[in-house]
């Protein structure tokens, strides 16, 4: 048997699977490149790039298992995989704490103007604390869109800061929120009452442009929006316009609509009008990039692959 690893994942995956099969690595091939090389492989280990299309699935004559070292599966044609008898495993929950901690970090950075203050000192060589009057999280209301593992962990951390937590999740009952000391509300209510809105839902046709020119007017004009989920859930043009007009307090994100997992190829650069906004904070999809989450994901995916292939 043969295994192909196409992204940076914890080394234990390759080490463990190499006991049973040949393990090759080719980092971030394009979809077309993957379609050419995949026919020889029984196992594919990946994260979120490239897209696993029907063409890739059709070319994967020997493929039995796809191990996805992340949560979302919207980059895989699941219908084609199922039809081909390919088992697809992801790692839900394994990065929950890492993403939740990043969310809180960005809330604090935005609230206390940490990045512009840092740049003012290091680039402008000024020392003026009066330019950066922030606000505390204590007593503010945090609205959580999506109350799964990550959303619940964010809520737990927020309560340590004495925040009020409201949440929306169409798959949960009122008592599910109450168990987590949160109040279940509608999206309309969440937008209206929240000082911070943090997004932890998958990208689907229903969640695309969830935050847009249609929903932004319902928010407080000093509300800070955080997106640690997927690009496309927040309409970047609309939120840019809102930031420019002062219709919201800020936008902090770990994802963007046109991101690529391995960066921008060649001499191209990654640009966006948002980069010119002072109240905008971005990182390159590093939510799960902790040694702790990487190890936990590696252990889980390795175990699932071994179970699927009946490897002892």
């Amino acid at each position: 048997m043969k295994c192909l690893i196409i992204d940076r994942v914890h080394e234990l995956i390759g080490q463990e699977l190499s006991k049973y099969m040949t393990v090759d690595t080719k980092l971030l091939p394009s979809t077309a490149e993957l379609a050419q090389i995949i026919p020889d492989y029984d196992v594919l280990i990946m994260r979120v790039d490239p897209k696993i299309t029907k063409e890739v699935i059709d070319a994967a004559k020997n493929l039995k298992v796809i191990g996805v070292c992340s949560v979302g599966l919207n980059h895989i044609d699941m219908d084609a995989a199922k039809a081909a008898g390919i088992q697809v495993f992801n790692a839900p929950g394994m990065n929950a704490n890492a993403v939740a901690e990043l969310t809180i970090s960005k809330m604090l950075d935005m609230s206390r103007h940490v990045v512009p203050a840092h740049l003012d000192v290091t680039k402008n060589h000024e020392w003026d604390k009066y330019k950066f009057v922030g606000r505390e999280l204590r007593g503010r209301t945090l609205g959580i869109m999506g109350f799964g593992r990550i959303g619940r962990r964010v809520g737990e951390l927020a309560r340590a800061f004495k925040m009020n937590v409201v949440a929306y999740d169409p798959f949960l009952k009122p008592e599910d929120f109450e168990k987590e000391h949160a109040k279940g509300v509608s999206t309309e209510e969440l937008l209206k009452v929240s000082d911070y809105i943090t997004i932890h839902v998958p990208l689907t046709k229903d969640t695309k442009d969830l935050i847009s020119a249609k929903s932004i007017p319902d928010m407080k004009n000093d509300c800070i929006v955080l997106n640690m989920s997927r690009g496309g859930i927040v309409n970047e043009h609309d939120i840019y316009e809102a930031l420019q007009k002062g219709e919201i307090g800020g936008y902090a994100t770990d994802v963007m609509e046109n991101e690529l997992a391995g960066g921008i190829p060649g001499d191209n650069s990654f640009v966006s009008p948002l980069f010119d906004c002072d109240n905008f904070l971005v990182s390159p999809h590093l939510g799960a990039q902790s040694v702790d989450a990487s190890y936990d994901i590696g252990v889980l995916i390795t175990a699932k692959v071994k179970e699927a292939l009946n490897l002892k």
Side-chain angles (χ1 to χ4, degrees):
M1 286 192 295
K2 297 182 69 176
C3 170
L4 178 63
I5 298 175
I6 61 171
D7 208 329
R8 290 181 176 88
V9 296
H10 199 280
E11 60 186 11
L12 74 86
I13 296 179
Q15 291 173 352
E16 182 64 21
L17 294 183
S18 65
K19 298 176 183 178
Y20 308 94
M21 64 189 76
T22 301
V23 177
D24 296 328
T25 300
K26 182 175 177 57
L27 293 180
L28 296 170
S30 67
T31 297
E33 290 172 333
L34 184 58
Q36 288 186 336
I37 61 178
I38 198 65
D40 292 337
Y41 291 95
D42 303 270
V43 177
L44 175 64
I45 302 294
M46 65 178 303
R47 293 179 73 179
V48 298
D49 274 322
K51 289 188 178 298
I52 306 302
T53 62
K54 185 177 186 301
E55 289 71 27
V56 173
I57 297 295
D58 289 343
K61 302 301 182 184
N62 294 316
L63 195 61
K64 302 173 181 65
V65 175
I66 300 176
V68 181
C69 297
S70 62
V71 179
L73 294 174
N74 56 291
H75 56 292
I76 297 177
D77 188 328
M78 295 297 290
D79 292 334
K82 182 178 180 180
I86 298 171
Q87 299 185 65
V88 181
F89 301 112
N90 61 346
M94 294 296 101
N95 67 351
N97 188 68
V99 176
E101 287 187 5
L102 181 65
T103 303
I104 297 295
S105 170
K106 287 185 184 289
M107 288 173 62
L108 290 167
D109 287 346
M110 293 291 288
S111 298
R112 301 303 300 271
H113 312 295
V114 170
V115 174
H118 167 81
L119 294 174
D120 200 47
V121 174
T122 60
K123 302 299 182 184
N124 299 335
H125 307 293
E126 296 188 6
W127 190 270
D128 186 356
K129 64 183 177 184
Y130 301 107
K131 292 168 71 173
F132 304 102
V133 179
R135 68 185 189 189
E136 299 177 18
L137 302 186
R138 178 186 56 175
R140 308 287 177 177
T141 296
L142 172 63
I144 304 176
M145 291 282 197
F147 210 51
R149 291 179 177 91
I150 297 173
R152 293 183 190 196
R153 180 58 175 157
V154 171
E156 181 181 15
L157 296 175
R159 290 196 304 277
F161 287 90
K162 300 188 183 303
M163 299 187 79
N164 304 309
V165 178
V166 300
Y168 170 76
D169 195 309
F171 303 104
L172 299 181
K173 301 175 182 178
E175 54 265 32
D176 296 324
F177 298 100
E178 294 170 4
K179 291 176 184 176
E180 302 295 329
H181 307 284
K183 179 183 178 183
V185 296
S186 65
T187 54
E188 293 78 12
E189 179 70 9
L190 187 148
L191 294 171
K192 180 180 177 181
V193 304
S194 298
D195 299 296
Y196 300 82
I197 295 173
T198 182
I199 299 165
H200 303 288
V201 297
L203 175 61
T204 67
K205 60 181 178 61
D206 294 322
T207 62
K208 182 170 174 56
D209 294 335
L210 180 66
I211 303 298
S212 67
K214 182 179 179 180
S215 56
I216 289 171
D218 296 329
M219 302 178 193
K220 297 181 179 180
N221 61 13
D222 62 350
C223 179
I224 292 175
V225 177
L226 305 108
N227 183 10
M228 308 300 135
S229 187
R230 286 290 185 269
I233 297 175
V234 173
N235 184 296
E236 292 174 8
H237 173 269
D238 292 353
I239 207 158
Y240 168 79
E241 293 292 328
L243 291 172
Q244 290 294 100
K245 295 175 183 177
E247 294 175 344
I248 61 170
Y251 178 44
T253 185
D254 191 41
V255 293
M256 296 195 75
E257 289 178 345
N258 59 337
E259 70 179 71
L260 292 173
I264 304 301
D267 296 326
N268 297 321
S269 59
F270 193 82
V271 295
S272 168
L274 284 166
F275 298 170
D276 295 325
C277 298
D278 292 334
N279 46 355
F280 172 69
L281 181 61
V282 63
S283 50
H285 207 152
L286 51 76
Q289 290 291 97
S290 74
V291 293
D292 315 89
S294 178
Y295 176 80
D296 291 342
I297 290 170
V299 170
L300 179 67
I301 290 297
T302 301
K304 287 185 174 182
V305 170
K306 289 173 64 177
E307 181 180 3
L309 298 176
N310 197 28
L311 302 175
K312 305 298 183 181

